[in-house]
Amino acid sequence: MNTTSTSRVSREERREAILDAARRHFVSNGYHGTGMDDVASTLGLSKPIVYQYFSSKHDLYLAVLEKAGENLEETIGAVLNQPGRNRDIVQTSVRAFFEFVADDMQYYRLLFDSDMLDDVDAAERVEEVTSAVVERIANHISSDTGLAAPHAQVLASSVVGASESAAKAWLRTSQSELDIDTASDLIAGMMWSGLRALPAQS
């Protein structure tokens, strides 16, 4: 018997199990190809039980999207909180994006490669996550260089956009010929060649 359906499972544990099952279905089949009954049957639950936790498939999707955003923010935040030279920070930040898109949980597909990006609520969640990551990087750039916030924001947006695009392109086409270290170092080197020209804050 699937232990997820027993009464011994706490409400929070069951909610997390539903989110994980939903993530796998949304990643594999997209939003439109996934039904609440798919998520329920994966866990050995009845569909009404899933509806006790999430009022609709859209509500469930947004909750999974929130988990994806938290995962990315935590990944980038951990890198930026580490001590080290700015060149090392750039390198590890880019590597973090590559690891994020290569992760087996495939959260990146929900944030950047989903069939729901034209949904207003989903797009808003993705924008919130992207803005939070950009803000973290911009603050780091500003504190090191003394650049005004608008300038740092533009640079941070470039870092995020380039890292995301390059990591997705690498994942789709180049893994067999370019390992993750070489690929991420290549992009980080390009970024650093521009960022190092900025004057450091004395």
Side-chain angles (χ1 to χ4, degrees), residues 125-174:
R125 295 289 176 92
V126 173
E127 176 61 28
E128 288 173 357
V129 171
T130 303
S131 295
V133 172
V134 167
E135 186 70 24
R136 282 176 177 267
I137 296 175
N139 287 340
H140 193 87
I141 292 174
S142 184
S143 65
D144 180 67
T145 64
L147 282 177
H151 298 77
Q153 286 276 347
V154 170
L155 287 173
S157 295
S158 299
V159 170
V160 171
S163 297
E164 175 201 327
S165 297
K168 285 166 59 179
W170 167 78
L171 185 67
R172 290 170 176 166
T173 63
S174 307

Side-chain angles (χ1 to χ4, degrees), residues 7-199:
S7 58
R8 297 175 186 175
V9 177
S10 71
R11 182 172 180 83
E12 182 58 31
E13 289 172 330
R14 178 166 287 163
R15 184 179 188 278
E16 288 301 312
I18 292 172
L19 286 172
D20 187 60
R23 172 190 58 79
R24 286 183 272 126
H25 280 288
F26 288 139
V27 165
S28 298
N29 306 313
Y31 176 84
H32 299 292
T34 297
M36 292 291 266
D37 51 342
D38 297 320
V39 177
S41 62
T42 296
L43 298 171
L45 300 173
S46 66
K47 192 160 62 170
I49 289 180
V50 176
Y51 277 112
Q52 290 176 12
Y53 291 81
F54 301 96
S55 61
S56 65
K57 183 174 74 168
H58 189 254
D59 181 39
L60 175 57
Y61 183 82
L62 292 179
V64 173
L65 199 59
E66 185 172 347
K67 293 280 288 187
E70 290 172 355
N71 184 282
L72 178 58
E73 287 189 58
E74 289 172 3
T75 298
I76 300 301
V79 168
L80 295 178
N81 287 334
Q82 294 176 1
R85 300 176 304 167
N86 281 317
R87 181 169 189 170
D88 296 331
I89 295 296
V90 170
Q91 187 173 32
T92 52
S93 295
V94 174
R95 173 60 184 258
F97 269 96
F98 273 74
E99 290 180 344
F100 181 74
V101 302
D103 189 271
D104 289 340
M105 296 188 78
Q106 297 283 278
Y107 273 136
Y108 93 92
R109 292 186 60 185
L110 300 176
L111 290 173
F112 306 125
D113 201 18
S114 168
D115 61 350
M116 278 289 280
L117 294 183
D118 58 348
D119 177 82
V120 173
D121 294 325
E124 184 177 305
R125 295 289 176 92
V126 173
E127 176 61 28
E128 288 173 357
V129 171
T130 303
S131 295
V133 172
V134 167
E135 186 70 24
R136 282 176 177 267
I137 296 175
N139 287 340
H140 193 87
I141 292 174
S142 184
S143 65
D144 180 67
T145 64
L147 282 177
H151 298 77
Q153 286 276 347
V154 170
L155 287 173
S157 295
S158 299
V159 170
V160 171
S163 297
E164 175 201 327
S165 297
K168 285 166 59 179
W170 167 78
L171 185 67
R172 290 170 176 166
T173 63
S174 307
Q175 289 184 82
S176 61
E177 301 176 0
L178 202 62
D179 61 76
I180 190 170
D181 292 321
T182 304
S184 59
D185 285 351
L186 182 68
I187 301 305
M190 177 197 69
M191 290 183 184
W192 179 247
S193 66
L195 291 173
R196 69 182 176 183
L198 297 174

